[in-house]
DNA sequence: TCATATTGCTATTATTTTAATAGCAAAGCT
DNA sequence: AGCTTTGCTATTAAAATAATAGCAATATGA
């Protein structure tokens, strides 16, 4: 699949708006999970495989390549790690954790249809 | 594909941590794009099709169903719209727009390998 | 009332992604 | 020399998505 880049057309958007390219990139299987995991520290290829319980090496490889090409992760001596950009992005994603745990989970418990 | 739910195992995570379920849901083609678009206001099925330039009706349908089941969007008389939860989630996603435009785009212009 | 348009959707087929599995070369122990 | 770890590639199978056509229900307009 074509690697998205801000400024170039991507899957579903001919304008190349940076946000569309970013959503395309992050909306691929495991992309956000990899970023999420790497915030805990560098991880080897096989460490990532273990974390993403059902990813295939092909897919992981592809995703790694894409994320590297897009400046979000890099190789280090301890394995793959977030770049400074990757860390910034993670910090934007981070609030989703508490929101999912607290608010979103709660939405499944409501029987009041008006609240949706 | 199985619809993710906080507390149940999802693609790639047996623990069912809410964040994993959320990342699974959002990491499907067009899911974030649909949420992004609907923040501008309600949109019909065909309006969404136009927005997602290359989505197929099957996929759009599936995605709509998933997002509805997960309490992020709903049907209204003016078309599909974000629920209160969907709006909250969008607001968490929103900062990615400026970041993509300003910081991320900039990362592609750098020739200094040390900055990555 | 008859045609036309819009909407939400299904069906079918083709293409693209992803998963499952095996395995290999290089490097580092022991 | 044998064993492990690491980062992959190759092959095949399954699943997701796209492309395209089209339908039933409701509205609109002449």
């Amino acid at each position: 699949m074509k690697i998205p880049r801000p400024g170039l057309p991507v899957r579903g958007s001919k304008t190349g708006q940076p946000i569309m390219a970013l959503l395309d990139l992050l909306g691929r299987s495991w992309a956000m999970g990899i970023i999420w995991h790497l915030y805990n520290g560098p991880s080897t290829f096989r460490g990532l495989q273990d974390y993403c319980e059902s990813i295939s090496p092909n897919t992981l490889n592809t995703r790694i390549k894409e994320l590297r090409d897009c400046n979000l992760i890099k190789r280090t001596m301890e394995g793959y790690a977030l770049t400074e950009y990757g860390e910034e992005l993670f910090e934007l994603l981070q609030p989703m954790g508490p929101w999912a745990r607290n608010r979103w989970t709660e939405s499944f418990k409501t029987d009041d249809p008006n609240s949706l």
Side-chain angles (χ1 to χ4, degrees), chain A residues 21-41:
Chain A
L22 184 60
L23 293 182
D24 183 8
L25 178 67
L26 295 182
R28 296 177 181 190
S29 65
W30 301 110
M32 285 190 289
I34 289 170
I35 291 171
W36 200 270
H37 179 60
L38 287 183
Y39 193 75
N40 300 324

Side-chain angles (χ1 to χ4, degrees), chain A residues 30 46-56:
Chain A
W30 301 110
R46 280 190 159 70
L48 284 170
Q49 270 188 307
D50 289 344
Y51 168 70
C52 305
E53 295 164 20
S54 71
I55 200 173
S56 72

Side-chain angles (χ1 to χ4, degrees), chain A residues 38 41-45 48 73-82:
Chain A
L38 287 183
S43 181
T44 64
F45 188 91
L48 284 170
I73 71 175
K74 64 185 171 187
R75 281 188 77 164
T76 70
M77 301 235 291
E78 296 116 309
Y80 294 103
L82 294 182

